[in-house]
């Protein structure tokens, strides 16, 4: 997919529930933007070379068992060898401080046969010693990335960090939050936990704030393949400077914009005001043929507005810094206000899918917190709801992981029993991968209308979509569907 000049091009499709009862206006008007980029030539459109910083935990706990540090050395070498020649890179050892492993002069080196061999030689001598200060590791990574940008001209290439830890941020803990603020937008960070001492909430926060992924490597021997996969995926992201533009009409405001596929990331705070009321949301670098989905929510007041008429609330478009002429055509985000509590005659399967996916993430987080607090009945109940939602989403991978934590009696109704013995790292894995969805909008079809769901809270009168598991307004769990039938 390229434009007529051979430049990369994008397509944008808007999916939404266009009909909304005026009584439900406070839940917002929602649209889902499906964006696909094609025709990307890494050599021609990658801009400057990519930047890669490999951060390896070398704290004292990596010595026990010895397979952890041995696997980390092997994986680090494999990651360096997977770098594309011309990539600017560095290797950092993380303890209670951050230390350059390669190169030695506090800068990024250019990857070629000799530099990669030299880096591999240094990685072989990594040894466990000291504590864990992830904030300090990110600070050095940020300085390396920022110095690399100052050395070149033109648009930035893809900047990526790979961070491995077997622990949590116990030293200089006060550094982590400000460093995440400082690093946001400068580079993408994929975080991985090895062993059993990492903190799932902490790794998830790093990945969410820095638009990466977080996972556990449950077997040390699998670390090499995980590193290679992350670096190779990073090397394919050669198109930067892609922004989502949303222009609301007068009287309409943007509540949020989130990426919801393939991984959920909130882009709201990164929005930049532009001319004409437009807000631009930068995105991380893309690979050829990649598709992503974004969820935009608009606030609009139906007071005094026509009923049963199509009204444009905003329009969305996608722009490319490297090929402005190849930007997508603007697509309208509309609403048709229905009188009172009147219900839509049609709903979007895309809206249902991502609504359920958001519910899945919430119940998994509840289950994790309940288990950590020792509240096993609540953890089991929430995991049962997660199983029911995963079943409705037809997500075999999630069901497979859930089945290692609970015995599934009936996936359709969420009847489960918490296993008496299981690898407790799996709960962290569930938490960290809860925002990884499996279907893009193009895979979904429209479904029939269903009945709205009423919140049971006495001080809340909000109406939620037929598929919702939680109230759109107060977030309280909605009553379970009637037994013996599938939810509408």
């Amino acid at each position: 997919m390229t434009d007529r000049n051979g430049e990369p091009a994008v397509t944008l499709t808007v999916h939404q529930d266009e009909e909304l009862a005026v009584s439900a206006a406070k839940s917002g008007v929602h649209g889902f933007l499906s964006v696909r980029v094609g025709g990307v030539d890494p050599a021609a459109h990658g801009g400057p070379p990519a930047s890669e910083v490999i951060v390896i935990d070398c704290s004292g706990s990596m010595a026990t068992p010895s397979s952890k540090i041995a696997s980390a050395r092997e994986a680090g070498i494999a990651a360096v060898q997977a770098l594309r020649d011309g990539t600017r890179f560095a290797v950092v050892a993380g303890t209670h401080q951050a230390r350059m492993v390669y190169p030695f002069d506090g800068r990024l080196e250019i990857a070629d046969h000799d530099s990669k061999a030299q880096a591999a030689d240094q990685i072989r001598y990594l040894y466990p010693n000291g504590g864990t200060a992830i904030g300090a590791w990110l600070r050095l990574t940020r300085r390396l990335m920022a110095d690399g940008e100052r050395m070149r001209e033109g648009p930035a290439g893809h900047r990526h960090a790979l961070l491995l830890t077997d622990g949590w941020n116990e030293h200089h803990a006060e550094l982590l939050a400000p460093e995440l603020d400082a690093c946001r937008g400068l580079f993408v960070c994929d975080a991985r936990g090895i062993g059993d001492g990492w903190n799932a909430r902490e790794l998830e926060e790093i990945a969410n704030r820095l638009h990466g992924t977080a996972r556990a490597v449950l077997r040390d021997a699998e670390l090499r393949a995980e590193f290679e996969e992350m670096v190779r995926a990073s090397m394919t992201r050669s198109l930067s400077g892609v922004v989502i533009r949303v222009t609301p009409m007068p009287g309409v405001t943007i509540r949020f914009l989130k990426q919801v596929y393939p991984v959920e990331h909130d882009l709201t705070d990164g929005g930049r005001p532009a001319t004409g009321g437009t807000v631009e949301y930068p995105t991380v670098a893309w690979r050829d043929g990649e598709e992503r989905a974004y969820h935009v929510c608009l606030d609009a007041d139906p007071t005094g507005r026509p009923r049963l008429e199509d009204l444009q609330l905003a329009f969305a478009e996608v722009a490319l810094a490297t090929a402005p002429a190849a930007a997508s055509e603007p697509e309208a985000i509309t609403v048709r206000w229905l009188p009172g509590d009147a219900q839509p005659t049609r709903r979007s399967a895309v809206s249902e899918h991502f609504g359920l996916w958001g519910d899945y993430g919430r119940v998994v987080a509840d289950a994790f917190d309940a288990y950590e607090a020792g509240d096993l009945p609540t953890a089991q109940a929430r995991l049962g709801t997660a199983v029911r939602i995963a079943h409705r989403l037809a997500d075999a991978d999630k069901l497979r992981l859930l089945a290692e934590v609970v015995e599934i009696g009936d996936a359709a109704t969420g009847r489960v029993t918490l296993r008496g013995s299981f690898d407790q790292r799996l709960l962290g894995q569930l938490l960290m991968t809860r925002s990884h969805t499996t279907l893009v909008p193009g895979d979904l079809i429209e479904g029939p209308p269903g009945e709205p769901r009423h919140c049971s809270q006495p001080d809340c009168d909000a109406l939620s979509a037929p598929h919702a598991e939680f109230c759109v307004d107060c977030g309280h769990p909605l009553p379970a569907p009637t037994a013996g039938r599938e939810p509408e």
Side-chain angles (χ1 to χ4, degrees):
M1 178 179 61
T2 59
D3 72 354
R4 61 180 179 271
N5 297 316
E7 297 285 351
V10 293
T11 59
L12 167 65
T13 306
V14 174
H15 308 262
Q16 66 170 121
D17 297 324
E18 296 178 342
E19 297 178 332
L20 185 66
V22 294
S23 62
K26 63 182 178 181
S27 69
V29 178
H30 300 263
F32 293 87
L33 317 178
S34 177
V35 182
R36 187 173 188 274
V37 171
V40 180
D41 179 350
H45 300 293
S51 299
E52 188 81 29
V53 176
I54 300 166
V55 183
I56 300 174
D57 189 338
C58 292
S59 61
S61 57
M62 287 289 288
T64 309
S66 59
S67 61
K68 279 195 292 187
I69 191 64
S71 296
R73 293 188 194 110
E74 181 183 3
I77 292 170
V80 167
Q81 296 300 332
L83 293 171
R84 185 174 60 239
D85 284 354
T87 301
R88 294 178 181 269
F89 80 103
V91 181
V92 171
T95 59
H96 53 280
Q97 58 187 357
R99 175 177 64 84
M100 292 292 297
V101 175
Y102 182 86
F104 310 108
D105 53 2
R107 60 180 178 83
L108 298 177
E109 183 59 271
I110 298 175
D112 58 24
H113 178 273
D114 291 341
S115 62
K116 290 193 284 188
Q118 292 165 9
D121 284 343
Q122 295 303 314
I123 292 172
R124 291 187 178 95
Y125 290 100
L126 291 178
Y127 61 93
N129 181 41
T132 304
I134 297 176
W137 308 355
L138 291 173
R139 180 171 57 186
L140 177 54
T141 302
R142 173 172 59 87
R143 290 174 177 172
L144 289 165
M145 296 288 192
D147 287 345
E149 288 309 305
R150 282 192 287 268
M151 293 174 62
R152 43 185 159 171
E153 299 177 355
H158 181 45
R159 296 164 302 206
H160 177 256
L162 184 164
L163 187 151
L164 174 73
T165 184
D166 78 329
W168 54 281
N169 190 53
E170 58 181 332
H171 291 87
H172 307 295
E174 73 283 355
L175 288 179
L176 183 57
E179 274 308 314
L180 288 173
D181 288 338
C183 294
R184 187 174 183 179
L186 180 60
F187 61 90
V188 172
C189 183
D190 288 322
R192 296 294 182 266
I194 191 173
D196 58 7
W198 41 267
N199 183 306
R201 285 284 189 191
E202 194 168 78
L203 295 185
E204 184 190 38
E205 181 183 13
I206 292 169
N208 286 344
R209 295 290 299 279
L210 303 184
H211 291 188
T213 60
R215 293 193 187 95
V217 180
L218 301 179
R219 287 171 282 276
D220 295 352
E222 297 174 351
L223 187 61
R224 173 174 180 159
E226 186 76 11
F227 269 42
E228 288 179 325
E229 180 183 350
M230 283 190 288
V231 171
R232 286 175 178 152
S234 176
M235 295 295 97
T236 66
R237 299 190 181 280
S238 56
L239 180 65
S240 56
V242 179
V243 297
I244 310 294
R245 289 178 175 165
V246 181
T247 305
M249 300 295 102
V252 178
T253 58
I254 303 169
R255 185 185 297 184
F256 64 73
L257 181 86
K258 299 177 181 178
Q259 178 182 300
V260 290
Y261 174 83
V263 179
E264 182 176 310
H265 293 302
D266 195 339
L267 307 184
T268 309
D269 292 343
R272 306 178 305 209
T275 59
T278 298
V279 181
E280 295 184 342
Y281 298 90
T283 67
V284 300
W286 295 62
R287 64 175 182 270
D288 187 36
E290 184 175 3
E291 185 167 4
R292 301 179 192 170
Y294 300 87
H295 179 188
V296 61
C297 179
L298 304 173
D299 285 314
D301 186 355
T303 304
R305 304 294 290 167
R307 305 295 188 251
L308 304 175
E309 293 184 17
D310 291 340
L311 304 174
Q312 181 172 329
L313 299 184
F315 63 85
E317 57 188 329
V318 184
L320 287 73
T322 57
S328 69
E329 292 294 327
E331 294 286 340
I333 301 172
T334 64
V335 69
R336 186 181 305 122
W337 294 115
L338 304 182
D341 292 341
Q343 292 308 305
T345 59
R346 183 176 180 178
R347 62 185 173 90
S348 165
V350 175
S351 174
E352 175 178 358
H353 175 79
F354 288 115
L356 283 171
W357 200 261
D359 288 346
Y360 174 86
R362 282 186 284 271
V363 296
V364 166
D366 287 347
F368 180 87
D369 291 340
Y371 191 88
E372 290 284 290
D375 185 354
L376 302 188
T378 298
Q380 177 175 290
R382 292 294 187 267
L383 288 169
T385 303
V387 165
R388 176 159 56 86
I389 296 173
H391 174 74
R392 292 188 62 189
L393 291 168
D395 192 320
D397 289 339
K398 287 293 185 290
L399 285 170
R400 192 177 302 112
L401 184 55
L402 285 162
E404 296 191 53
V405 179
V406 295
E407 296 180 7
I408 301 176
D410 185 350
T413 61
R415 180 167 55 84
V416 304
T417 303
L418 193 66
R419 292 188 181 275
S421 177
F422 63 90
D423 187 340
Q424 295 185 19
R425 296 178 300 173
L426 293 169
L427 279 173
Q429 185 80 302
L430 279 168
L431 179 73
M432 292 188 293
T433 59
R434 60 186 168 136
S435 62
H436 298 208
T437 189
T438 53
L439 291 175
V440 296
D443 295 325
L444 302 171
I445 59 174
E446 299 303 312
E451 292 299 318
R453 309 209 60 196
H454 294 261
C455 185
S456 60
Q457 291 295 91
D459 57 347
C460 181
D461 59 356
L463 293 175
S464 298
H467 57 268
E469 300 278 348
F470 291 83
C471 175
V472 294
D473 190 36
C474 70
H476 190 268
L478 294 172
T482 304
R485 58 179 291 202
E486 282 288 330
E488 295 288 348

